[in-house]
Each structure stands twice: as structure tokens, then as C-alpha cells.
Amino acid sequence: MGAKTTPPGGEAQGMLARGLSLLSALGDHPEGVSVTELARQVGLPVSTTHRLLATEIELGFVSMDASTKTYRLGVRLFELANRVTGVMDLATIARPIMRELSRRTGETVQLSVLSDGRALFIEKVGTEQAVGIRGSVGQSEPLYATSTGKILLSSMPSDTFAAMLDDLDLQAWTPTTITTRSALLAEIERTRERDYAVADEEFDAGVRAIGVPVRHEAGDTRAALCISAPAFRASVAQLEQWLPDLRAAAHRIGVQLPMGATVI
């Protein structure tokens, strides 16, 4: 018989699954648990459990009480949970306002936040006329080619924006996609000046969108709200006519956000 081989990525996936099983088990022990008991519960050797815990401690997902030699969930998980809660709160607040805006305009309304260098859709309200409008909840789109993405880029502090710009791969999605650094810089400056962004068939051929920031009362941008429509039905001029309604909806969402609300 030949030597047993591991599928590509299989070992990494196995270690990830084991690490996640430890986090799940630690959730059953808020007061802490020993490595021996934890290993028994998840069915792993003590040595493997100890090695995985060391990595998770380093990343902040697990903490250890040196006096009792027990382990519990770390603050990093608490931070991530708060972010998820913030996103859910934002979507809940925005949903009825987005529905009203969608009824008023007859087009699709979408809400995005920044996540891993992309615009992540956390809420979408469509209409019977919504044809060919991508961006389902949980999907993400490139920052430089979408109206919400441009808003999120324009709202970043200068140092964060510079770092993000260095990481962007300006891939052409359509003939009108921005593909040069100089053109993107000019577009983001224009977005900052007028406080709205337009994507004119730049990510999806045949789709136009206009986006504005959703700001908390303190003034910081928490998300981006946009109206998307098929190009045959809405010109850029038509989209801009909806700006007062779009801005009013974004303001209504922003003022309802709790002071401590966070998003990805």
C-alpha cells in the first residue's frame, strides 16, 4: 500500500477545526477549565490541546489563569461578538427606512459596511422592478468600483486610506471601471467634496448606483447607503434627483445608532 497522503489544505483545515472545537468547549466553562479536562472533552491528546491553546492565547481568543492553570474564552471573542451585534443592530434599524426609500424610488436600496478591504452588504431591500442588481446580504464588492465602496474609502482617515490604496488590485470589471491610482484618487477627492458617490456601470455592466455615508451623531461614518438601478431605467441625473431622499434616509438611520454601536 502507498503512503497515506493529506489533501491540499487538509492538514490546515483539520487544525482549524480542532481549534474551533476548543473554543466551543471553552464556552461551556465560563469559570475556566484545565487542559486535561478540555482535552478529554474534545477528544484530543493533551499535547495537541496545549499547543492549540498556546496559539489561541497569543491571538487573544483564549486566556489562562496562571494561578489555577485553567483556561477560558478571551477578550478577542468578546470584541468580535460586539461587532456582529453592531452589524445586526444597524441592519435592524435601517430595514424599515430602506423599505420606505425603496417604495419611494421604485429601486433597490442596499446598506454596506467595510469588511476585509471590501464593501460588505448587510441589508438589501428590492422591488418587483429589481432586475440584475447584485449584492445579496453577506456578499461583498470591491471598494473602488461601487458607490458604497467609494463612500467607505472617502470616509477613511488619510493614513488608513493610503494603506488601503496600496492593497487595492484595480481590476477592470467593465469598460468604465477605474483602473489607475490617479483616477481613483481624483474620484475619492470628488466624493469627499460632494459627499456622495456614483458608480456608473463600473462593477456591473447595465447597473448604476448612488451612495451616501451613514453617520453617527458624533460625525463618524458607520456605513454606506445606496440606491441601485438598471442603467436603462435610471440615468446618473435621475439618481442624483433622489439624493435628498437618500441623504434623509441615511440621516434617519445614523441618528438612531447607539453611541457604542460598532460595525465591521
Side-chain angles (χ1 to χ4, degrees), residues 135-192:
S136 299
V137 173
Q139 293 182 341
S140 62
E141 295 183 347
L143 295 174
Y144 64 94
T146 58
S147 64
T148 55
K150 293 175 186 179
I151 289 295
L152 295 171
L153 279 174
S154 70
S155 301
M156 294 177 182
S158 57
D159 54 343
T160 305
F161 173 69
M164 184 69 70
L165 190 60
D166 289 338
D167 290 337
L168 289 178
D169 177 15
L170 301 179
Q171 173 185 349
W173 297 93
T174 73
T176 59
T177 304
I178 294 173
T179 56
T180 67
R181 184 187 180 101
S182 59
L184 180 58
L185 286 170
E187 178 71 359
I188 297 306
E189 183 58 33
R190 183 161 51 248
T191 298
R192 291 189 179 117

Coordinates of all heavy atoms in Angstrom, one line a residue, residues 135-192:
G135 N -25.5 41.9 -5.1 CA -25.2 42.4 -3.8 C -26.2 41.9 -2.7 O -26.8 42.6 -2.1
S136 N -26.3 40.5 -2.6 CA -27.1 39.9 -1.6 C -26.5 40.1 -0.2 O -25.2 40.3 -0.1 CB -27.3 38.5 -1.9 OG -28.0 38.3 -3.1
V137 N -27.3 40.0 0.8 CA -26.7 40.2 2.2 C -25.7 39.1 2.4 O -25.9 37.9 2.1 CB -27.9 40.0 3.2 CG1 -27.3 40.0 4.6 CG2 -28.9 41.2 3.1
G138 N -24.5 39.5 2.9 CA -23.4 38.6 3.2 C -22.4 38.6 2.0 O -21.3 38.1 2.2
Q139 N -22.7 39.2 0.9 CA -21.8 39.3 -0.2 C -21.0 40.6 -0.1 O -21.5 41.5 0.5 CB -22.5 39.2 -1.6 CG -23.1 37.8 -1.8 CD -23.8 37.8 -3.2 OE1 -24.1 38.8 -3.8 NE2 -24.0 36.6 -3.7
S140 N -19.8 40.6 -0.7 CA -19.1 41.9 -0.7 C -18.6 42.2 -2.1 O -18.6 41.4 -3.0 CB -17.8 41.7 0.2 OG -17.0 40.7 -0.3
E141 N -18.3 43.5 -2.3 CA -17.9 44.0 -3.6 C -16.7 44.9 -3.5 O -16.4 45.4 -2.4 CB -19.1 44.8 -4.2 CG -20.3 43.9 -4.5 CD -21.4 44.6 -5.2 OE1 -21.4 45.9 -5.3 OE2 -22.3 43.9 -5.8
P142 N -16.0 45.1 -4.5 CA -14.7 46.0 -4.5 C -15.0 47.4 -4.1 O -16.0 48.0 -4.6 CB -14.1 45.8 -5.9 CG -15.3 45.4 -6.7 CD -16.2 44.6 -5.9
L143 N -14.2 48.0 -3.3 CA -14.4 49.4 -2.8 C -14.3 50.4 -4.0 O -15.1 51.4 -4.0 CB -13.4 49.7 -1.8 CG -13.4 48.9 -0.5 CD1 -12.2 49.3 0.4 CD2 -14.7 49.2 0.3
Y144 N -13.4 50.2 -4.9 CA -13.1 51.2 -5.9 C -14.1 51.3 -7.1 O -14.1 52.2 -7.8 CB -11.7 51.0 -6.5 CG -11.6 49.7 -7.2 CD1 -11.7 49.6 -8.6 CD2 -11.2 48.5 -6.6 CE1 -11.6 48.5 -9.3 CE2 -11.1 47.3 -7.3 CZ -11.3 47.3 -8.6 OH -11.2 46.1 -9.3
A145 N -15.0 50.2 -7.2 CA -15.9 50.1 -8.3 C -17.3 50.2 -8.0 O -18.2 50.1 -8.8 CB -15.6 48.8 -9.0
T146 N -17.6 50.6 -6.7 CA -19.0 50.6 -6.3 C -19.3 52.0 -5.5 O -18.4 52.5 -5.0 CB -19.4 49.5 -5.3 OG1 -18.5 49.5 -4.2 CG2 -19.2 48.1 -6.0
S147 N -20.5 52.4 -5.5 CA -20.8 53.7 -4.9 C -20.6 53.6 -3.4 O -20.0 54.5 -2.7 CB -22.3 54.1 -5.2 OG -23.2 53.2 -4.6
T148 N -21.1 52.5 -2.7 CA -20.9 52.3 -1.3 C -19.4 52.2 -1.0 O -18.9 52.7 0.0 CB -21.6 51.1 -0.7 OG1 -21.3 49.9 -1.4 CG2 -23.1 51.3 -0.8
G149 N -18.6 51.5 -1.8 CA -17.2 51.3 -1.6 C -16.5 52.6 -1.6 O -15.6 52.9 -0.8
K150 N -16.8 53.5 -2.6 CA -16.2 54.8 -2.7 C -16.5 55.7 -1.5 O -15.6 56.4 -1.0 CB -16.7 55.5 -4.0 CG -16.2 54.9 -5.3 CD -16.8 55.6 -6.5 CE -16.5 54.9 -7.8 NZ -17.1 55.5 -8.9
I151 N -17.7 55.5 -1.0 CA -18.1 56.3 0.2 C -17.2 55.8 1.4 O -16.7 56.6 2.2 CB -19.6 56.1 0.6 CG1 -20.4 56.8 -0.4 CG2 -19.9 56.5 2.0 CD1 -20.3 58.3 -0.4
L152 N -17.1 54.5 1.6 CA -16.3 54.0 2.7 C -14.8 54.4 2.5 O -14.1 54.7 3.5 CB -16.4 52.4 2.7 CG -17.8 51.9 3.0 CD1 -17.9 50.4 2.8 CD2 -18.2 52.3 4.5
L153 N -14.3 54.4 1.3 CA -12.9 54.8 1.1 C -12.7 56.3 1.4 O -11.8 56.7 2.1 CB -12.5 54.6 -0.4 CG -12.1 53.2 -0.8 CD1 -11.9 53.2 -2.3 CD2 -10.8 52.8 -0.1
S154 N -13.7 57.1 1.0 CA -13.6 58.5 1.2 C -13.7 58.9 2.7 O -13.3 60.0 3.1 CB -14.6 59.3 0.4 OG -15.9 59.0 0.9
S155 N -14.3 58.0 3.5 CA -14.5 58.3 4.9 C -13.3 57.9 5.8 O -13.4 58.2 7.0 CB -15.8 57.6 5.4 OG -16.9 58.0 4.6
M156 N -12.3 57.2 5.2 CA -11.2 56.7 6.0 C -10.3 57.9 6.4 O -10.1 58.8 5.6 CB -10.4 55.7 5.2 CG -11.2 54.4 4.9 SD -10.1 53.3 3.9 CE -11.3 52.0 3.7
P157 N -9.6 57.8 7.5 CA -8.5 58.7 7.9 C -7.4 58.5 6.8 O -7.3 57.5 6.1 CB -8.0 58.2 9.2 CG -9.1 57.4 9.8 CD -9.9 56.8 8.6
S158 N -6.7 59.6 6.6 CA -5.7 59.6 5.5 C -4.7 58.5 5.5 O -4.4 57.9 4.5 CB -4.9 61.0 5.5 OG -4.3 61.2 6.7
D159 N -4.2 58.1 6.7 CA -3.2 57.0 6.8 C -3.9 55.7 6.5 O -3.2 54.8 5.8 CB -2.5 57.0 8.2 CG -3.5 56.9 9.3 OD1 -4.7 57.2 9.1 OD2 -3.1 56.5 10.4
T160 N -5.1 55.5 6.9 CA -5.8 54.2 6.6 C -6.1 54.1 5.2 O -5.9 53.1 4.5 CB -7.1 54.1 7.4 OG1 -6.8 54.3 8.8 CG2 -7.8 52.8 7.2
F161 N -6.5 55.2 4.6 CA -6.8 55.3 3.1 C -5.6 55.0 2.3 O -5.6 54.2 1.3 CB -7.4 56.6 2.7 CG -7.6 56.8 1.3 CD1 -8.5 56.1 0.6 CD2 -6.7 57.7 0.5 CE1 -8.7 56.2 -0.8 CE2 -6.9 57.9 -0.8 CZ -7.9 57.1 -1.5
A162 N -4.4 55.5 2.7 CA -3.2 55.3 2.0 C -2.8 53.8 2.0 O -2.4 53.3 1.0 CB -2.1 56.2 2.6
A163 N -2.9 53.2 3.2 CA -2.6 51.8 3.3 C -3.6 50.9 2.5 O -3.2 50.0 1.8 CB -2.7 51.4 4.8
M164 N -4.9 51.3 2.5 CA -5.8 50.6 1.7 C -5.6 50.7 0.2 O -5.7 49.7 -0.5 CB -7.2 51.1 2.1 CG -8.4 50.3 1.4 SD -8.6 48.6 2.1 CE -9.2 49.0 3.7
L165 N -5.2 51.9 -0.2 CA -4.9 52.1 -1.6 C -3.8 51.2 -2.1 O -3.8 50.7 -3.2 CB -4.6 53.6 -1.8 CG -4.5 54.1 -3.2 CD1 -5.8 53.9 -4.0 CD2 -4.1 55.6 -3.3
D166 N -2.8 51.0 -1.3 CA -1.7 50.2 -1.6 C -2.1 48.7 -1.8 O -1.4 48.0 -2.6 CB -0.6 50.3 -0.6 CG 0.1 51.6 -0.6 OD1 0.1 52.3 -1.6 OD2 0.7 52.0 0.5
D167 N -3.1 48.3 -1.1 CA -3.5 46.9 -1.2 C -4.6 46.7 -2.3 O -4.9 45.5 -2.6 CB -4.1 46.5 0.2 CG -3.1 46.4 1.2 OD1 -1.9 46.2 0.9 OD2 -3.4 46.5 2.4
L168 N -5.1 47.7 -2.9 CA -6.2 47.5 -3.9 C -5.6 47.0 -5.2 O -4.7 47.6 -5.7 CB -7.0 48.8 -4.1 CG -7.9 49.3 -3.0 CD1 -8.5 50.6 -3.3 CD2 -9.0 48.2 -2.7
D169 N -6.2 46.0 -5.7 CA -5.9 45.5 -7.1 C -7.0 46.1 -8.0 O -8.1 45.6 -8.0 CB -6.0 44.0 -7.1 CG -5.7 43.4 -8.5 OD1 -5.3 44.1 -9.3 OD2 -6.0 42.2 -8.7
L170 N -6.7 47.1 -8.8 CA -7.6 47.8 -9.6 C -8.0 47.0 -10.8 O -7.7 47.4 -12.0 CB -7.1 49.2 -9.9 CG -6.8 50.1 -8.7 CD1 -6.3 51.4 -9.1 CD2 -8.0 50.2 -7.8
Q171 N -8.7 45.9 -10.6 CA -9.1 45.1 -11.7 C -10.3 45.7 -12.5 O -11.1 46.3 -11.9 CB -9.5 43.7 -11.1 CG -10.2 42.8 -12.1 CD -10.7 41.5 -11.5 OE1 -10.4 41.3 -10.3 NE2 -11.5 40.7 -12.2
A172 N -10.3 45.5 -13.8 CA -11.3 46.1 -14.7 C -12.5 45.1 -14.7 O -12.4 44.0 -15.2 CB -10.8 46.3 -16.1
W173 N -13.6 45.5 -14.2 CA -14.8 44.7 -14.2 C -15.7 45.0 -15.4 O -16.4 44.1 -15.9 CB -15.7 44.9 -12.9 CG -14.9 44.5 -11.7 CD1 -14.2 45.3 -10.9 CD2 -14.9 43.2 -11.1 NE1 -13.7 44.6 -9.8 CE2 -14.1 43.3 -9.9 CE3 -15.5 42.0 -11.4 CZ2 -13.9 42.2 -9.1 CZ3 -15.3 40.9 -10.6 CH2 -14.5 41.0 -9.4
T174 N -15.6 46.2 -15.9 CA -16.4 46.7 -17.1 C -15.5 47.7 -17.8 O -14.4 48.1 -17.2 CB -17.7 47.3 -16.7 OG1 -17.4 48.7 -16.2 CG2 -18.5 46.5 -15.7
P175 N -15.9 48.1 -19.0 CA -15.1 49.1 -19.7 C -15.0 50.5 -18.9 O -14.1 51.3 -19.2 CB -15.8 49.3 -21.0 CG -16.5 48.0 -21.2 CD -16.9 47.6 -19.8
T176 N -15.8 50.7 -18.0 CA -15.8 52.0 -17.3 C -15.2 51.9 -15.9 O -15.2 52.9 -15.1 CB -17.2 52.6 -17.2 OG1 -18.1 51.7 -16.5 CG2 -17.8 52.9 -18.6
T177 N -14.7 50.8 -15.5 CA -14.1 50.6 -14.1 C -12.9 51.5 -14.0 O -12.1 51.6 -14.9 CB -13.7 49.2 -13.9 OG1 -14.8 48.3 -14.1 CG2 -13.2 49.0 -12.5
I178 N -12.7 52.1 -12.9 CA -11.5 52.9 -12.6 C -10.3 51.9 -12.4 O -10.4 51.0 -11.5 CB -11.7 53.7 -11.3 CG1 -12.7 54.8 -11.6 CG2 -10.3 54.4 -10.9 CD1 -13.1 55.6 -10.3
T179 N -9.3 52.0 -13.1 CA -8.2 51.1 -13.0 C -6.8 51.7 -12.8 O -5.8 51.0 -12.8 CB -8.1 50.2 -14.3 OG1 -7.9 51.1 -15.5 CG2 -9.3 49.4 -14.5
T180 N -6.8 53.0 -12.6 CA -5.5 53.6 -12.2 C -5.6 54.3 -10.9 O -6.6 54.8 -10.5 CB -5.1 54.6 -13.3 OG1 -6.0 55.8 -13.3 CG2 -5.1 54.0 -14.7
R181 N -4.4 54.4 -10.2 CA -4.4 55.0 -8.9 C -4.7 56.5 -9.0 O -5.5 57.0 -8.1 CB -2.9 54.9 -8.4 CG -2.7 55.4 -7.0 CD -1.3 55.3 -6.6 NE -1.0 55.8 -5.2 CZ -0.8 55.0 -4.2 NH1 -0.9 53.7 -4.3 NH2 -0.6 55.6 -3.0
S182 N -4.2 57.2 -10.0 CA -4.5 58.6 -10.2 C -6.0 58.9 -10.4 O -6.6 59.8 -9.8 CB -3.7 59.2 -11.3 OG -4.0 58.6 -12.6
A183 N -6.7 58.1 -11.2 CA -8.1 58.3 -11.4 C -8.9 58.0 -10.1 O -9.9 58.7 -9.9 CB -8.5 57.3 -12.5
L184 N -8.5 57.0 -9.4 CA -9.2 56.7 -8.1 C -9.0 57.8 -7.1 O -9.9 58.2 -6.4 CB -8.7 55.3 -7.6 CG -9.3 54.9 -6.3 CD1 -10.9 54.8 -6.4 CD2 -8.8 53.6 -5.8
L185 N -7.8 58.3 -7.0 CA -7.5 59.4 -6.1 C -8.4 60.6 -6.4 O -9.0 61.3 -5.6 CB -6.1 59.8 -6.1 CG -5.1 58.9 -5.4 CD1 -3.6 59.3 -5.8 CD2 -5.3 58.9 -3.9
A186 N -8.6 60.9 -7.7 CA -9.4 62.0 -8.2 C -10.9 61.7 -7.8 O -11.6 62.6 -7.4 CB -9.2 62.3 -9.7
E187 N -11.3 60.5 -8.0 CA -12.7 60.1 -7.7 C -13.0 60.2 -6.3 O -14.1 60.7 -5.9 CB -12.9 58.7 -8.3 CG -14.3 58.2 -8.0 CD -15.4 58.8 -8.8 OE1 -15.1 59.7 -9.6 OE2 -16.6 58.4 -8.7
I188 N -12.1 59.8 -5.4 CA -12.3 59.8 -4.0 C -12.3 61.3 -3.5 O -13.1 61.6 -2.6 CB -11.3 59.0 -3.2 CG1 -11.4 57.5 -3.6 CG2 -11.4 59.2 -1.7 CD1 -12.7 56.9 -3.4
E189 N -11.5 62.1 -4.1 CA -11.5 63.5 -3.7 C -12.8 64.2 -4.1 O -13.4 65.0 -3.4 CB -10.3 64.3 -4.4 CG -10.2 65.7 -4.0 CD -10.1 65.9 -2.5 OE1 -9.4 65.1 -1.8 OE2 -10.5 67.0 -2.0
R190 N -13.3 63.8 -5.3 CA -14.6 64.3 -5.8 C -15.7 63.8 -4.8 O -16.7 64.6 -4.5 CB -14.9 63.9 -7.2 CG -16.1 64.4 -7.8 CD -16.1 64.3 -9.3 NE -15.7 62.9 -9.8 CZ -14.6 62.7 -10.4 NH1 -13.7 63.7 -10.6 NH2 -14.3 61.5 -10.9
T191 N -15.6 62.6 -4.4 CA -16.6 62.0 -3.5 C -16.6 62.8 -2.1 O -17.7 63.1 -1.6 CB -16.3 60.5 -3.2 OG1 -16.5 59.8 -4.5 CG2 -17.3 59.9 -2.2
R192 N -15.5 63.1 -1.6 CA -15.4 63.8 -0.4 C -16.0 65.2 -0.5 O -16.7 65.7 0.4 CB -13.9 64.0 0.1 CG -13.3 62.7 0.5 CD -11.9 62.9 1.1 NE -11.3 61.7 1.6 CZ -10.1 61.2 1.1 NH1 -9.5 61.9 0.1 NH2 -9.6 60.1 1.5

